[in-house]
Amino acid sequence: QQQVKQSPQSLIVQKGGISIINCAYENTAFDYFPWYQQFPGKGPALLIAIRPDVSEKKEGRFTISFNKSAKQFSLHIMDSQPGDSATYFCAASIKTGFQKLVFGTGTRLLVSP
Amino acid sequence: DAGVIQSPRHEVTEMGQEVTLRCKPISGHDYLFWYRQTMMRGLELLIYFNNNVPIDDSGMPEDRFSAKMPNASFSTLKIQPSEPRDSAVYFCASSGSENSGNTIYFGEGSWLTVV
């Protein structure tokens, strides 16, 4: 119940295309869903996050779509750029336990020029 | 803001040796986390502190691992004795519950290889 399942494991997208990464969870107590971006040799960095009271959150080219009934959320990267090539992790935590983020297994994104 | 600072960035050690990883959290943050990242297991929370007190160490793999936070600006993760299966990237992270909401800020990691 504590798992967050992430897919795909890897993704290749052409420059200008849309990258879509999906995550699913079981624990209905989760109420905070961040996405982290990790470049090689660096630590993960918060990219964007959403709470279940909204179905979508957009920040620049990055959008989280959230489907509470399906217990799924996804990251969309519009107009993907080579600089977006990185590993993306979805995560989830409960309101009273933000400290214990449960991470997905990661998606390695390569945006080809 | 210097971010979370970790040292060493890279460590190669022989099996059986003691390894000490160090972390300086972001000033003013009251939560400190130690994570381990491997290809097989992904990102795992090992332990976290709140106001220098260990709150949850349920992720610490075994007694060979220990972590301390003697003051608000310093923490260590120690492995003694080290084993090849401890080879991983160890991340320290911090969060300020009042100032940054739920955002957890990661350091650049300490890459440990045990041969």
Side-chain angles (χ1 to χ4, degrees), chain A residues 31-32 36 38 40-46 51 89 93-95 98-101 103-105 108, chain B residues 9 31 33 35 37 39 43 45 48 56 58 91 95 97 101-109 111:
Chain A
D31 78 332
Y32 174 65
Y36 278 77
Q38 184 178 24
K42 303 293 185 181
L46 179 66
R51 293 196 181 274
F89 294 92
S93 67
I94 63 175
K95 184 174 183 178
F98 84 93
Q99 304 87 348
K100 298 196 76 170
L101 269 179
F103 283 90
T105 50
R108 184 174 288 184
Chain B
R9 288 298 317 278
Y31 284 93
F33 308 83
Y35 285 85
Q37 186 175 41
M39 289 295 292
L43 267 165
L45 176 64
Y48 77 89
D56 188 331
S58 59
F91 288 104
S95 177
S97 54
N102 292 358
T103 303
I104 295 177
Y105 297 86
F106 286 78
E108 296 198 329
W111 295 66

Side-chain angles (χ1 to χ4, degrees), chain B residues 33-102:
Chain B
F33 308 83
W34 283 100
Y35 285 85
R36 178 171 67 177
Q37 186 175 41
T38 61
M39 289 295 292
M40 291 297 294
R41 299 175 68 89
L43 267 165
E44 303 174 276
L45 176 64
L46 301 178
I47 184 172
Y48 77 89
F49 296 80
N50 180 218
N51 292 321
N52 313 337
V53 177
I55 302 300
D56 188 331
D57 65 355
S58 59
M60 296 286 262
E62 48 196 276
D63 291 345
R64 297 184 297 107
F65 286 70
S66 62
K68 294 182 179 179
M69 191 167 186
N71 58 63
S73 59
F74 184 67
S75 177
T76 59
L77 178 67
K78 188 174 291 187
I79 308 172
Q80 166 63 19
S82 58
E83 297 182 2
R85 60 192 168 122
D86 302 330
S87 298
V89 184
Y90 291 83
F91 288 104
C92 178
S94 69
S95 177
S97 54
E98 291 187 7
N99 297 330
S100 61
N102 292 358

Side-chain angles (χ1 to χ4, degrees), chain A residues 3 7 12 22 26 28 42 52 61 63-64 66 68 73 78-79 90 93 95-96 98 109:
Chain A
Q3 284 187 329
S7 63
I12 300 175
N22 301 299
E26 289 296 323
T28 55
K42 303 293 185 181
R61 296 184 293 107
T63 300
I64 299 179
F66 185 82
K68 189 174 181 177
F73 58 110
M78 311 300 288
D79 185 27
C90 62
S93 67
K95 184 174 183 178
T96 56
F98 84 93
L109 171 66

Side-chain angles (χ1 to χ4, degrees), chain A residues 9-31:
Chain A
Q9 191 172 20
S10 61
L11 182 62
I12 300 175
V13 173
Q14 286 202 332
K15 179 182 176 181
I18 302 174
S19 304
I20 302 175
I21 304 170
N22 301 299
C23 285
Y25 63 97
E26 289 296 323
N27 188 349
T28 55
F30 285 150
D31 78 332

